[in-house]
């Protein structure tokens, strides 16, 4: 005899049934970065202490944390910077690599920082060695092969006001 599936008419049994299904679902790592510029049009990059090379500011979302909240939290923790997110620029599905499962990487538009914000910008914790502004071309040279396509897509999205979806750094039609 096959057990019956609970129905919404029994909320407690229904929620237990849904929770069991939820527990079996795949979990994705979520990265949330931000593209920030200064008044000269240069972009902010950070140099993390825990991995080689420069990166966009941001980091990993915590459990059940919206990506835009994650980027705001990371900026406060790492740079003491509070910003308003001005929209989504890029979503990139990143394939499993090395010891890492796949992830979803978001890049948000952080807009242009005021001069007083850029003047006092300095790492606030030991996760960052430095933070600096680069021209877009210089930034491309600083970024790794994995991050560069996402960065370029974010610049393109700002230029034409059209968010991009990438699959492992490659644009999708």
């Amino acid at each position: 005899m096959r057990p019956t599936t609970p129905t919404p008419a029994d909320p407690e049994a229904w929620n237990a049934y849904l929770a069991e299904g939820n527990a079996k679902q795949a979990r994705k790592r979520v990265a949330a970065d931000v593209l920030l510029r200064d008044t000269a049009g240069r972009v902010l990059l950070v140099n993390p202490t825990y991995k080689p090379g420069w990166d966009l500011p941001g980091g990993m979302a915590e459990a059940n944390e919206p990506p835009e909240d994650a980027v705001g939290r990371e900026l406060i923790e790492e740079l003491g910077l509070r910003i308003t997110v001005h929209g989504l620029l890029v979503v990139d599905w990143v394939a499993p690599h090395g010891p890492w499962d796949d992830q979803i990487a978001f890049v948000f538009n952080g807009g242009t920082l005021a001069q007083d914000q850029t003047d006092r910008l300095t790492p606030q914790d030991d996760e960052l060695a430095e933070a600096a502004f680069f021209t877009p071309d210089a930034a491309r040279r600083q970024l790794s092969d994995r991050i560069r396509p996402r960065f370029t897509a974010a610049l393109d999205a700002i230029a034409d006001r059209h968010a991009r979806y990438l699959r492992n750094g490659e644009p999708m039609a």
Side-chain angles (χ1 to χ4, degrees):
M1 183 170 187
R2 192 170 150 205
T4 60
T5 301
T7 67
D10 180 355
E12 190 173 316
W14 180 248
N15 282 337
Y17 170 74
L18 294 176
E20 181 181 339
N22 182 60
K24 294 176 184 175
Q25 303 257 339
R27 299 286 189 255
K28 300 280 186 200
R29 292 179 307 120
V30 174
D33 294 334
V34 65
L35 187 69
L36 287 163
R37 291 155 297 184
D38 67 6
T39 56
R42 298 176 304 167
V43 295
L44 179 64
L45 297 183
V46 295
N47 188 1
T49 58
Y50 54 87
K51 64 181 181 179
W54 290 80
D55 203 348
L56 290 167
M60 300 305 292
E62 295 176 354
N64 300 315
E65 181 181 37
E68 67 278 12
D69 291 355
V71 83
R73 176 185 48 75
E74 289 284 347
L75 284 173
I76 291 168
E77 290 174 3
E78 295 179 352
L79 294 167
L81 185 61
R82 292 183 189 278
I83 65 153
T84 299
V85 172
H86 297 286
L88 177 67
L89 298 174
V90 175
V91 176
D92 187 10
W93 175 80
V94 180
H97 56 283
W100 302 107
D101 292 333
D102 68 334
Q103 77 174 11
I104 305 293
F106 293 84
V107 180
F108 294 98
N109 183 356
T112 301
L113 297 175
Q115 188 67 43
D116 66 315
Q117 290 175 299
T118 61
D119 288 346
R120 64 178 189 267
L121 199 61
T122 185
Q124 302 291 307
D125 68 17
D126 61 358
E127 288 189 16
L128 298 182
E130 55 190 320
F133 286 91
F134 295 87
T135 65
D137 287 339
R140 279 187 190 90
R141 290 190 297 273
Q142 294 293 331
L143 294 169
S144 71
D145 292 343
R146 183 173 297 284
I147 304 298
R148 191 177 308 111
R150 202 175 304 149
F151 171 74
T152 298
L155 291 175
D156 292 345
I158 286 174
D160 68 11
R161 298 177 184 212
H162 179 70
R164 302 298 200 272
Y165 174 71
L166 307 178
R167 183 175 175 170
N168 212 36
E170 294 293 322
M172 296 296 294

